[in-house]
Amino acid sequence: MSLTVVGAGPVGLAVAIVARERGLDVRVIEKQRGPTLDKACGEGLMPLGVDWLHRHGVEVEPDGHHDFTGIRWIDGPHTLEADFPHGVGWGIRRTFLHRAMLARAESLGVEVQWGQEVTAIPSGWVVAADGLHSPMRRLAGLAAGPGRHKRFGIRRHVTMTPWTDRVEVYWAEDCEAYVTPVGPTRVGIAFLSPKGRFNALLERFPQLAERLEGHPVESQDRGAGPLHQRVTAVHTGRVALVGDAGGYLDAITGEGMSLGFRQAEAAVDAVIRGDLAGYGRAHARLVRVPMTLMRLLLFAERHPALRRALVRFTPPAVFGRMLRLNDG
């Protein structure tokens, strides 16, 4: 049995790795010229995602990642934090993750065709992992267009020793800042907001701006959005959509890559069974809890009094359980 994967980002490579491990012939088509792809991304990988990499033999260079033990929310003088009940997450520079996953896929015999744009649906079984603005989603007739939440992301890296072993989320009106240790001497900063350039958004977080002041910038700012993308379904005929291609709401809960890896396994299982309807059911189960948490947090984000109450009054034990639910 053969499988075509459209998109050579982490989720597309996850599909290819699982498919080869289960005996399928795999080719990957990518419109960008490789071999390393970067992206606007918060670069936090939850514990189940780290476990996925270990289970599938993906080895990341030590300079490209940093452990984090949990999440800390910061809203003015108030903080709420908890550790993961199981394992650790990784802050992982996207380029290092991509190189490691590509190396693992190629070691399994995956062929990647770089610089090839797909203008028609390939024959046979196809898994589309071609991102937020997926052309395959449109070709397959599954696109429902952008949603009503007009939010964008923008990220930058600075060279400095991380000051925390947690991902820090700073809250402000209509904006959050995500600070992730992504290497021994590298910190990633990502903003989610309706609009704004990086430096203008940073000014809204004086505490964070003061901490970053004087440290060299080591990456070009990258943005993405609008984040909310809707689909009519995640499969049709012999085509399945995984990761961001299968619809996206927001990055507010940070589980995107881990969720994409689990969708990759479910899609390959469905292809092997010859039943993509099974993938549709599995996808619905996988996204149910994360989507519920996203909607709750987006509601709180739009209501500052509720957001402040969440940060101030939620017991850390309850926050820890929420982290566990979000990570599956």
Side-chain angles (χ1 to χ4, degrees):
M1 180 181 292
S2 62
L3 173 66
T4 298
V5 181
V6 181
V11 174
L13 292 174
V15 174
I17 288 167
V18 173
R20 284 298 299 141
E21 288 175 340
R22 299 183 185 177
L24 276 62
D25 294 325
V26 182
R27 67 165 177 157
V28 178
I29 304 173
E30 169 57 51
K31 68 177 180 179
Q32 303 295 330
R33 298 189 182 277
T36 300
L37 304 181
D38 202 357
K39 181 185 175 182
C41 176
E43 299 180 320
L45 189 60
M46 297 299 183
L48 280 186
V50 175
D51 178 67
W52 191 96
L53 295 181
H54 291 323
R55 286 190 292 108
H56 293 278
V58 178
E59 298 181 1
V60 181
E61 300 167 52
D63 187 50
H65 68 87
H66 193 289
D67 289 355
F68 63 87
T69 61
I71 309 293
R72 177 182 292 124
W73 285 354
I74 301 169
D75 193 341
H78 303 294
T79 63
L80 173 64
E81 57 190 288
D83 286 338
F84 296 116
H86 57 287
V88 297
W90 277 359
I92 183 164
R93 184 71 177 90
R94 184 63 171 246
T95 49
F96 282 79
L97 174 63
H98 189 262
R99 281 199 296 269
M101 296 191 71
L102 179 61
R104 176 55 178 158
E106 290 178 338
S107 76
L108 293 168
V110 173
E111 174 194 0
V112 182
Q113 299 174 357
W114 300 102
Q116 302 293 319
E117 187 168 359
V118 176
T119 58
I121 297 175
S123 61
W125 294 101
V126 180
V127 173
D130 53 343
L132 192 66
H133 302 291
S134 166
M136 279 295 298
R137 183 171 63 216
R138 294 192 298 273
L139 286 174
L142 298 176
R148 61 189 181 89
H149 300 291
K150 303 297 184 183
R151 299 233 297 171
F152 296 79
I154 185 170
R155 69 102 178 99
R156 174 187 293 179
H157 301 92
V158 298
T159 302
M160 65 185 299
T161 301
W163 63 85
T164 178
D165 61 354
R166 290 187 172 95
V167 170
E168 292 187 338
V169 182
Y170 295 74
W171 296 79
E173 304 306 313
D174 296 322
C175 182
E176 304 95 59
Y178 294 76
V179 179
T180 307
V182 292
T185 58
R186 184 185 305 108
V187 174
I189 304 95
F191 294 110
L192 294 179
S193 70
K195 60 181 179 179
R197 295 184 178 274
F198 190 96
N199 289 340
L201 293 171
L202 182 58
E203 290 176 359
R204 301 178 63 180
F205 301 90
Q207 178 184 357
L208 177 58
E210 181 179 1
R211 190 181 287 275
L212 299 177
E213 187 175 1
H215 293 282
V217 175
E218 69 168 63
S219 68
Q220 179 182 359
D221 294 354
R222 285 182 177 266
L227 299 177
H228 189 190
Q229 299 291 325
R230 300 175 302 131
V231 296
T232 58
V234 295
H235 68 92
T236 183
R238 291 193 167 202
V239 179
L241 308 179
V242 299
D244 296 356
Y248 197 75
L249 180 55
D250 202 89
I252 197 167
T253 58
E255 85 311 318
M257 283 193 291
S258 295
L259 185 60
F261 293 168
R262 293 157 67 198
Q263 291 172 5
E265 292 191 325
V268 173
D269 286 343
V271 168
I272 291 172
R273 292 193 304 267
D275 174 25
L276 290 186
Y279 171 65
R281 293 188 292 271
H283 185 279
R285 289 194 300 271
L286 289 170
V287 303
R288 185 174 296 122
V289 170
M291 284 293 181
T292 299
L293 290 173
M294 279 184 218
R295 291 188 177 97
L296 288 173
L297 290 179
L298 285 171
F299 182 81
E301 190 267 344
R302 295 190 295 272
H303 296 81
L306 176 58
R307 184 196 72 223
R308 287 191 288 268
L310 274 175
V311 175
R312 188 172 182 180
F313 298 116
T314 301
V318 172
F319 190 40
R321 287 196 289 274
M322 189 186 82
L323 296 182
R324 182 175 182 174
L325 281 171
N326 189 55
D327 197 30

